[in-house]
């Protein structure tokens, strides 16, 4: 009887040890708050990342934004632990301008920027004076200009930095395109008022627009989006657990099936 009790106690202790190993690696961090823009990045958290982290014992809260300004400010001030919505050129420019200490720590599958039909349905329908709505933040506006340059609708000045291109860098507006800068979240709705719209992939998908509806997609892979934390948190155990979740085989398999046509993180190859 005594041997049975000892064995039972040993098994109980072992069971507790195994259960304990499934809990968060950072016991001081019980809740992780992740901020994303509305759409696919939020869906990634809700449908895959949150369950992965909850298996480790974390509580995960998602905060969704409809703009590109507040997520970085919220992260810096501490109301978020992680944000997922931006490419590195945007992060670098925004952090420098606002004196933020943020660090990109993992990439995520990213829907590419695309030109979508509005009043006109095909690229061949473009004519002098055609209107095109584009995101008004500097980084994504530069991407739009590079796309128009690739199409031959405009010509950018030689030697300019494509990551920071602005209207001042347009050497020639070949098609006399009327560019209409708008907040990124407004672009899907703008299609009824313009001939074409340059729409960020996450806002396209969250508005029910299929990526295959784009009449043109950007060529560059420089704009795969990043998950970002405060620089001081980058080496903390909970942050490493978030990075591991986004690079896990479970998330990779789920994302590759759900997000066909997306640009994938460089380290997934």
């Amino acid at each position: 009887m005594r041997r049975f009790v000892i064995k039972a106690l040993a098994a109980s202790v072992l069971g507790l040890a195994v259960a304990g190993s499934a809990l968060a690696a950072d016991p001081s961090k019980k809740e992780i708050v992740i901020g994303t823009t509305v759409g696919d990045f939020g869906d990634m958290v809700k449908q895959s990342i949150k369950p992965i982290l909850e298996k480790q014992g974390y509580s995960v809260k998602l905060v969704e934004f409809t703009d590109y300004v507040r997520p970085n400010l919220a992260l810096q001030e501490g109301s978020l632990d992680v944000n997922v919505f931006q490419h590195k050129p945007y992060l670098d420019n925004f952090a420098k301008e606002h004196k933020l200490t943020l660090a990109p720590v993992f990439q995520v599958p990213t829907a590419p920027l695309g030109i979508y039909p509005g009043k006109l349905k095909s690229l061949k329908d473009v004519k002098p004076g055609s209107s095109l709505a584009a995101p008004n933040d500097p980084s994504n506006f530069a991407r739009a200009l590079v796309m128009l340059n690739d199409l031959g609708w405009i010509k950018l000045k030689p030697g300019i930095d494509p990551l920071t291109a602005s209207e001042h860098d347009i050497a020639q507006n070949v098609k006399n395109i009327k560019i209409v800068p708008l907040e990124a979240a407004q672009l899907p709705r703008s299609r009824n008022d313009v001939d074409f719209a340059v729409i960020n992939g996450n806002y396209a998908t969250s508005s029910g627009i299929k990526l295959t509806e784009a009449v043109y997609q950007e060529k560059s892979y420089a704009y795969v989006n990043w998950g970002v934390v405060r620089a001081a948190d980058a080496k903390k155990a909970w942050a490493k657990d978030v990075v591991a979740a986004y690079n896990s085989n479970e998330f990779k398999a789920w994302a590759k099936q759900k997000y066909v046509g997306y640009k994938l993180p460089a380290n997934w190859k």
Side-chain angles (χ1 to χ4, degrees):
M1 178 68 177
R2 183 180 178 183
R3 289 182 180 176
F4 174 79
V5 171
I6 292 173
K7 288 182 179 179
L9 287 172
S12 176
V13 171
L14 178 61
L16 288 172
V18 171
S21 67
L23 296 178
D26 187 348
S28 66
K29 184 70 172 175
K30 295 181 179 180
E31 181 182 65
I32 298 174
V33 183
I34 303 176
T36 72
T37 41
V38 174
D40 46 8
F41 298 131
D43 291 342
M44 290 176 197
V45 174
K46 289 180 283 190
Q47 298 177 30
S48 185
I49 295 301
K50 182 177 180 179
I52 291 173
L53 289 172
E54 287 181 341
K55 289 176 187 176
Q56 299 177 50
Y58 290 108
S59 172
V60 177
K61 178 182 177 181
L62 172 65
V63 179
E64 293 181 291
F65 296 85
T66 57
D67 69 273
Y68 291 153
V69 174
R70 290 181 297 154
N72 278 332
L73 300 179
L75 179 60
Q76 180 71 38
E77 71 183 16
S79 57
L80 300 178
D81 296 309
V82 186
N83 71 34
V84 183
F85 77 98
Q86 64 195 318
H87 51 68
K88 195 169 182 299
Y90 179 83
L91 170 64
D92 291 344
N93 290 336
F94 192 94
K96 181 179 180 180
E97 180 181 352
H98 295 274
K99 296 180 174 58
L100 308 182
T101 53
L102 306 179
V105 289
F106 60 87
Q107 289 185 323
V108 292
T110 307
L113 195 71
I115 297 178
Y116 291 83
K119 295 178 180 178
L120 300 180
K121 306 305 178 185
S122 172
L123 294 178
K124 66 182 181 181
D125 295 332
V126 68
K127 56 185 179 295
S130 289
S131 58
L132 177 138
N136 64 1
D137 62 279
S139 182
N140 285 306
F141 189 77
R143 294 168 71 185
L145 293 182
V146 170
M147 293 173 68
L148 296 180
N149 183 77
D150 290 341
L151 277 172
W153 289 6
I154 67 171
K155 288 185 179 179
L156 293 173
K157 297 175 182 176
I160 61 129
D161 183 350
L163 300 181
T164 59
S166 70
E167 284 189 277
H168 298 296
D169 296 314
I170 299 175
Q172 183 181 357
N173 191 337
V174 179
K175 295 290 186 181
N176 193 26
I177 297 295
K178 180 183 178 182
I179 302 174
V180 183
L182 295 172
E183 286 286 340
Q186 298 178 21
L187 291 167
R189 297 191 298 273
S190 75
R191 294 200 297 165
N192 293 329
D193 302 316
V194 294
D195 295 316
F196 298 97
V198 178
I199 304 176
N200 293 77
N202 61 307
Y203 284 122
T205 56
S206 66
S207 299
I209 301 171
K210 296 180 180 179
L211 297 183
T212 53
E213 292 180 38
V215 291
Y216 189 81
Q217 289 184 334
E218 67 182 338
K219 298 176 181 179
S220 175
Y221 276 79
Y223 299 101
V224 173
N225 284 15
W226 287 82
V228 178
V229 299
R230 289 178 293 278
D233 292 335
K235 294 184 179 180
K236 291 183 178 179
W238 65 264
K240 291 181 179 180
D241 286 339
V242 173
V243 174
Y246 273 96
N247 286 307
S248 66
N249 289 333
E250 182 178 347
F251 179 67
K252 287 179 184 178
W254 176 85
K256 287 178 180 178
Q257 182 177 14
K258 184 173 179 65
Y259 298 115
V260 176
Y262 277 49
K263 293 184 185 296
L264 300 177
N267 67 327
W268 285 18
K269 297 179 181 179

